Structure formats: C-alpha cells, structure tokens
Amino acid sequence: MSSRYPFTAIVGMEDLRLALLLNAVSPAVGGVLVRGEKGTAKSTAVRALAGLLPPLAAVQGCRFGCDPAAPDPQCPDGPHGPDAPAAERPTRLVELPVGVSEDRIVGSLDLERALAEGVKAYEPGLLAAAHRGVLYIDEVNLLGDHLVDLLLDAAAMGRSYVEREGVSVRHAARFLLVGTMNPEEGELRPQLLDRFGLTVEIAATRDPELRAEVVRRRLAYDADPEGFAARWTEEERDLAERIVAAQELLPRVRLGDGALRQITATCAAFEVDGLRADIVMARTAVALAAWAGRTTVLAEDVRTAAKLALPHRRRRNPFDAPGLDEDTLEQALQQSAGEDPDGSDQPDGPDGPDGPDGPEDDGPGGGGGGGGQDAPSDGPAAADGPAAPEQPAGERPAPEQQQSRSGESAPAPAAAAAPPYRTRLYQVPGTGEGAPGRRSRARTDTGGHTVRAARPSGALQRLHLAATITAAAPHQLARGRDGRALKLRRDDFRQQVREGREANLVLFVVDASGSMAARQRMSAVKGAVLSLLMDAYQRRDKVGMITFRGSEAVLALPPTSSVEVGAARLEQLPTGGRTPLAAGLLRAHETLRLERLRDPRRRALLVVVTDGRATGRAGGGAAPLVEARRAARLLAAQGTAAIVVDCEHGPVRLGLAAELAGHLAGTAVRLDELAADSMTDLVRSIRKEAA
C-alpha cells in the first residue's frame, strides 16, 4: 500500500489541483508553474499527483521506457520489434535537484570511446527517466537559464538531443512538466515564463479553521502514513478513474469557432506576445471540457483557461507582478461572443458531476484558497561643527522634511522613482568562475567561446578536435597506423577551455541622508538605482541593498536573486538625517565577507550611491571623512570592485565622491553619465568636434 500523501486529502488550493489535473488529462497543455510562498504544500501536491496516474506498459529492458504499441524508432536501445516483451510499471515522478548538471539532465556521451572505438557509449539522463511520466523541478527559478531553456525545449518538442563534436544521440522525452518556485528568491525571465503552459499563485489560507484542518491531517499522516493513506483509498480511486475517463473523452471534444474567437480576442485584449498563449488557452479549454465530461467547449471553459494561462504572460518588465484584470477579461469575453460561444446554451455531451472546476469530493476539509555640509578637510573641525541639516547649494529640502528637537531630520516621505533607463555595462575586472550570467568575464562549461585547449582533468566534456588530432598525429607511425583512422590514446585527448560571462553579486550602498532628501534629487537617485536593478536582473545577478542615514546603516535587502524585492524596498526608502558614510561602507564590508563564505565563486560589484559627504561617525573617535576613507581602503584591500555614483548637484561641487572612489580603488560616475545613451552622445560630440 502506498504511503504517499493522498492528493484528495490536500486542503484547499483548488486552482493548483485543477491545473495539475488538466495537465494529467492533456500533457499538451504544457505543464504548470506553481508560484507561492514557502510552506504551502507545493511539492506535496505534485508528488501526490503522480500516484493518481495510471500504470504504463513499457518495453522490457528499454532504458527509455518505450511504449510497446508505438516504440520510438530513434530509441538508442532499439529498434524494438512488434513482438518485443513488455512489462507494466507505475508512472514515474522524476525530481530535478537544484545543483543538477547538463549531462545529468540530457545524459552523458563517452567521447573517448566514441572516437577511439567507434562506440556510442551513452548513459541516459533524467529526461529519459521522465519519459511518459512527470518531471518535477523544485525551485525552478534557481536553475541556470541554459538548463531551464534545455528542459523547456525538450518539453515542447517531446524529444531530447545530445550533441558532442559530431556524435549525436536523440530519444523521445514526453512528460508532464511541473515547476515550483518561491518568488521571494527571484523571478524567471518572461521568455521562460511564457514556455510554461499554466501558472498558479498559491498562498497559505488565513482561515483558522482551514489551517487547523491542514495541521490535523498532516499530524495524522506523520503518525501513521499507511493508515492515513488507506482512509483516502476510495477518493483516490474515484479521481484516478475520472482522469482516465477524461483522457479517453479528450479526442472527441469540439472547439467551435465561437470559442476560438473568444480565446483569440482575450489574448489580443491582454496584448500578450506571440501566439503561444492562444494555443495554450485552446488546449486548456478543451481539457476543461473533457474534465467536466462534455464534448463542447463553453464560455466558462474559456474564462477558466484564461485565468490559468495568461497571468504570467502579462509581465512587461522585471518589476511587473503576474496578474490578470478581471474586468478586462469579462469585457473581452462579452465583446467576442454572446452568452454561449457556439450559439447554444446547452453542451453537446453530458455534464460531468462536478463541472469544470475540478472535483468537489476531495474529502472532508477541502476548500479555501488556497546634516551639515562637510569641508574637504579630514581634521577635527570637520566633525565638530553644528549639526545643521545637510543641503547642497541650489536645492530646497522636501516640504515634509522637518527638524527634530535632537537636531536630526525626521524622515521625509518617500519620493517616487524616476523612470528607469538602460545603463552602461559595469564589470568586475579579471576572469572569474562564477555562475553563468551576462556581466563579467569568466571561464565556463556552457556557452561562451573557446580560448584554448587543455588536457582534461577528469571525464572529457567538450572535445577540442583540432588539438586532439595535433597531439595524436606525431605518434601514428609508432602506433602502427595502417588505415585512414587515427589511433588515439588517453593522453591525446584535449578539451576546450571556454570563456563566457558570469553573474555577480551587485551590492548597492545608498545614501539616504538629509543631503539627498530634495524630492527631485532623490527621485533621480531612485531612478538610477532602479535602472541598475533592472540591468542586474537582465544580467542574472544577485542583488543586495544597504541604506545609511541618521546614525546607522541598515541591510535593507540581504543578497537575493529577487530584484523585485529590491525595487519594492527602494520605493519606500525614507530620507533625512546625518550621513554615516563610514557605517554604510563597514556594513558593506561585513556583508561581502559573509557572502564570500556562502558563495566563494560569486564575485561582487559594489555600487555606492552618494554625494560623498560624511557627517555621522561609525563609532570611532576620528572625523567622519577620515572614518569613511579608512572603511573605503578596507574594502579596496579585500579586492572589491567598486563604482561610486556621484550624486552631487548644484553650482558648488566638492568632488568628495570622486575622492571616495579613489580610496575604494574604483571608478566614479556622475549620475547624469550613468545611462548608456550619455556615453553614445559623448562619443558623437567628440567625433563632431574632430571633424
């Protein structure tokens, strides 16, 4: 008896259960992406689904699970004849670990044996194991983009390819794809989101009764898994039979022209890119009709399909949250058709017992939704002056900013960020070995270009054919070569050393003191940081944010892959008070030290956004500027790549930000030079003057 947690015992989460069941009925829908906070039973639901799927007949001894009734003609273990022995096995659930390699996914090919012996020695990967089953990717947003691309390509084409230096292997790979992710840990790119058929947002219910029922069932399951599963046997059997019935009915479901017009009109109304959304909606609507026991697609099927297939396709920039406007949806449906998309109020086939929203008999408890301006001197006079609010010449403070009794400025209401723009590319010097990305140079096993050849230290991964032949050629006579084929030995093989791009940690240190509090100025600063955040998103970086004002520096955003959270924290950033620049730099030093322990291969880029003023001490007895420069030299000593965005404005400029960049051994960039277009305009003006 199975001890897995029963699917029908899951409390609430109707949208998630429905999306999973629709993909079980019709894998052509394209899989499910489950987005939700931690601890919401995302993984439990996916694993429970696999136990509902019917068993499969597979060719005995075939490592790729070929169907004996229709074996894959390109199966590496084939060909399989019509009388090949078969055996029944349960539908597999294959889980993809976060640290998985490309070879583990697609399989590994022994190039040494292939070239030296002419033998295709292929070891199947996880895609082969998932054929005709369920492929589950937990934390899909933490996988490398090239791996996600590879998985989605295989899911779309139903076939996996392994290509190594002219030696190729291909096999069938059709599976139900399910990915789960916590948006707090970073988003998927819109291009990758679009490749998932359906998406579901889930959150823990706030209903105390439902939460109590979830806990009650979980404790009962943990105490006696076998007994708990036995109590749900009948519900599980009924649901499994309904899945089979819907699969058999699916080919007979008719998608009328009226329903199709509603689908295309809805996609057009939401301005989704491409036509994949239309196709996915059509397949989902057909699966909904089959699930309800009907042979005709109704308007309600189209509406439900839109709610599952369109939200993740609405994102226009990295900071847009997936979602769907209900009013726009209803308007699109009403404008494209009448009450019924096919001109009738009754379906052609019998209604299912529960309607298109999924089973209502999933067991009891199911339900619920789921300062003063510094002189450039380092002497004591710079620190002992009156504690007046900082304000550069030519700027007025925000009207809301008021002086407190203690002399500190009360935080001003947050200024809105200026619109983001495309920034120049800033890189970490040297060559790293970090995670694949699009910022700094790095040695890489994926992508990039070949820079040289080297002897492999382990298994041969990427053959450098020319270097291998060059190494083997002088020895052919001594090895007794008597034909056209080369005689190769282990020492002859050379593999490619490739260089591409890596992702970095971009740590922002943002001055939020009184000298930055003029509304127009802070708006420009926020726009600049937002632009850099968007650039970090596009280059696959992790981001973190430290803000300093008053008497302290705060780690407002611990390093994360979620730039959306960074944008949200930036939007609410308060300003006012003194400028504890040294405290901000020291907090950055400590944050980077801890991150090097967690991820030693990821190099950091420090972005300090400030006018260079310092009026607040970090705890020592030295003047604020002396402390700040000492902290900057500490960061430089540990080799931190740094950029200082100079926010100084007005007719009087002290040049303190540029001096800070010198102590950081970094680069100073004026705020108005941050945009990529500003560099282009500068080059054009120089060329025009030269002409």
Side-chain angles (χ1 to χ4, degrees):
M1 183 180 296
S2 173
S3 61
R4 62 173 178 82
Y5 195 91
F7 189 85
T8 51
I10 295 172
V11 179
M13 300 196 297
E14 287 83 359
D15 286 347
L16 172 58
R17 289 187 289 144
L18 178 59
L20 291 172
L21 290 168
L22 292 177
N23 274 271
V25 172
S26 177
V29 166
V32 187
L33 176 64
V34 186
R35 300 163 45 89
E37 58 196 20
K38 52 187 176 291
T40 48
K42 301 185 294 292
S43 303
T44 299
V46 177
R47 296 184 180 110
L49 175 70
L52 293 174
L53 301 179
L56 301 172
V59 175
Q60 278 188 356
C62 178
R63 298 173 296 170
F64 303 86
C66 281
D67 184 352
D72 178 17
Q74 294 181 318
C75 177
D77 285 354
H80 304 298
D83 55 348
E88 192 175 85
R89 63 168 176 82
T91 299
R92 290 175 180 163
L93 171 67
V94 176
E95 301 191 34
L96 202 73
V98 172
V100 69
S101 65
E102 181 178 345
D103 283 347
R104 184 71 185 97
I105 293 174
V106 300
S108 58
L109 189 63
D110 192 335
L111 285 175
E112 296 181 30
R113 292 190 62 192
L115 293 175
E117 304 174 23
V119 176
K120 285 187 180 181
Y122 175 68
E123 185 65 30
L126 295 174
L127 290 180
H131 179 46
R132 305 174 65 203
V134 180
L135 180 61
Y136 172 47
I137 315 170
D138 194 13
E139 306 292 356
V140 63
N141 52 325
L142 302 184
L143 276 182
D145 285 345
H146 69 291
L147 296 180
V148 179
D149 275 327
L150 187 153
L151 289 163
L152 294 174
D153 282 342
M157 296 184 297
R159 188 161 290 277
S160 175
Y161 298 87
V162 184
E163 302 281 349
R164 296 287 188 273
E165 302 298 331
V167 182
S168 64
V169 174
R170 59 191 63 194
H171 62 82
R174 294 184 295 274
F175 46 81
L176 193 164
L177 178 64
V178 183
T180 59
M181 60 175 282
N182 182 351
E184 295 176 357
E185 297 171 339
E187 284 283 0
L188 281 172
R189 288 184 291 143
Q191 298 91 328
L192 297 178
L193 283 172
D194 184 55
R195 302 287 293 277
F196 279 93
L198 309 180
T199 188
V200 177
E201 294 272 352
I202 62 172
T205 178
R206 299 297 182 254
D207 186 334
E209 291 300 324
L210 289 177
R211 295 174 74 97
E213 183 63 23
V214 171
V215 175
R216 190 178 297 116
R217 294 187 187 186
R218 186 70 213 189
L219 293 177
Y221 172 77
D222 291 342
D224 183 10
E226 298 287 349
F228 184 86
R231 293 198 295 271
W232 295 88
T233 300
E234 185 176 350
E235 289 86 351
E236 292 284 284
R237 183 176 60 249
D238 292 344
L239 189 56
E241 291 174 355
R242 187 175 175 188
I243 292 173
V244 174
Q247 289 173 337
E248 294 173 350
L249 181 61
L250 186 70
R252 305 201 302 272
V253 176
R254 183 174 67 89
L255 178 65
D257 288 342
L260 183 56
R261 282 194 301 270
Q262 281 193 320
I263 290 170
T264 55
T266 301
C267 292
F270 282 102
E271 299 179 348
V272 296
D273 297 330
L275 292 171
R276 182 177 284 116
D278 306 63
I279 296 170
V280 171
M281 269 191 67
R283 290 171 174 167
T284 305
V286 170
L288 280 162
W291 180 247
R294 290 185 267 101
T295 57
T296 300
V297 173
L298 302 182
E300 184 58 35
D301 299 327
V302 177
R303 180 180 291 104
T304 304
K307 293 178 180 180
L308 294 172
L310 295 185
H312 59 303
R313 296 182 166 92
R314 289 283 297 134
R315 294 182 68 193
R316 286 293 179 267
N317 68 65
F319 309 124
D320 286 343
L324 204 66
D325 184 74
E326 295 279 350
D327 293 337
T328 304
L329 174 59
E330 292 302 325
Q331 185 178 4
L333 291 172
Q334 292 172 8
Q335 289 179 351
S336 58
E339 293 185 359
D340 182 81
D342 290 297
S344 63
D345 292 329
Q346 299 296 327
D348 293 345
D351 285 337
D354 299 320
D357 290 330
E360 296 180 0
D361 58 349
D362 284 354
Q373 178 172 313
D374 293 309
S377 169
D378 289 351
D384 298 332
E390 296 183 76
Q391 197 59 50
E395 292 191 16
R396 293 183 179 181
E400 299 86 349
Q401 185 180 354
Q402 298 179 355
Q403 190 79 4
S404 69
R405 292 183 179 178
S406 64
E408 291 288 352
S409 297
Y421 46 82
R422 186 169 64 90
T423 66
R424 294 157 57 184
L425 171 61
Y426 299 99
Q427 305 178 57
V428 179
T431 304
E433 296 180 340
R438 295 185 175 182
R439 183 173 297 277
S440 306
R441 290 177 52 188
R443 287 178 289 273
T444 178
D445 294 329
T446 60
H449 60 282
T450 302
V451 294
R452 61 186 176 89
R455 282 192 171 94
S457 56
L460 182 63
Q461 299 295 329
R462 293 183 176 271
L463 178 73
H464 196 301
L465 186 58
T468 298
I469 294 174
T470 301
H475 308 289
Q476 296 305 296
L477 186 61
R479 293 174 185 173
R481 176 185 174 189
D482 54 4
R484 298 180 62 183
L486 286 174
K487 288 187 175 293
L488 299 175
R489 294 181 181 175
R490 168 73 180 174
D491 291 343
D492 298 330
F493 289 101
R494 301 292 186 271
Q495 71 179 15
Q496 303 170 22
V497 176
R498 303 176 71 86
E499 197 171 275
R501 297 283 174 178
E502 68 175 358
N504 299 114
L505 165 62
V506 181
L507 181 62
F508 295 92
V509 180
V510 182
D511 185 348
S513 65
S515 66
M516 307 284 286
R519 185 171 298 279
Q520 186 176 1
R521 188 182 191 192
M522 180 50 71
S523 177
V525 169
K526 285 187 175 182
V529 178
L530 192 65
S531 302
L532 290 167
L533 278 170
M534 183 176 292
D535 181 68
Y537 168 85
Q538 294 168 344
R539 301 188 187 282
R540 319 293 181 257
D541 296 319
K542 291 180 68 174
V543 296
M545 187 183 301
I546 294 170
T547 63
F548 59 93
R549 58 174 296 273
S551 60
E552 63 178 354
V554 177
L555 182 59
L557 178 68
T560 176
S561 296
S562 178
V563 297
E564 296 85 356
V565 178
R569 303 283 170 85
L570 180 68
E571 184 179 356
Q572 302 300 324
L573 179 65
T575 58
R578 292 176 177 268
T579 312
L581 177 58
L585 296 176
L586 290 173
R587 177 59 65 95
H589 178 269
E590 179 64 14
T591 301
L592 293 176
R593 183 187 70 82
L594 294 175
E595 283 303 306
R596 278 194 296 272
L597 294 175
R598 296 188 184 103
D599 190 355
R601 297 179 61 186
R602 187 180 293 269
R603 300 187 296 162
L605 177 63
L606 182 68
V607 180
V608 184
V609 185
T610 182
D611 55 13
R613 291 172 171 81
T615 59
R617 288 184 171 90
L625 276 176
V626 174
E627 290 184 336
R629 290 166 180 170
R630 186 181 298 152
R633 290 192 290 269
L634 185 63
L635 283 162
Q638 69 179 18
T640 303
I643 297 167
V644 178
V645 180
D646 186 357
C647 302
E648 195 170 27
H649 181 69
V652 179
R653 295 177 182 266
L654 301 179
L656 296 176
E659 291 183 21
L660 177 64
H663 288 284
L664 284 166
T667 305
V669 182
R670 286 174 50 179
L671 188 62
D672 54 2
E673 296 174 348
L674 198 61
D677 292 341
S678 65
M679 180 59 70
T680 303
D681 293 340
L682 177 62
V683 172
R684 286 175 178 170
S685 63
I686 293 173
R687 288 178 176 174
K688 187 176 181 180
E689 292 174 3

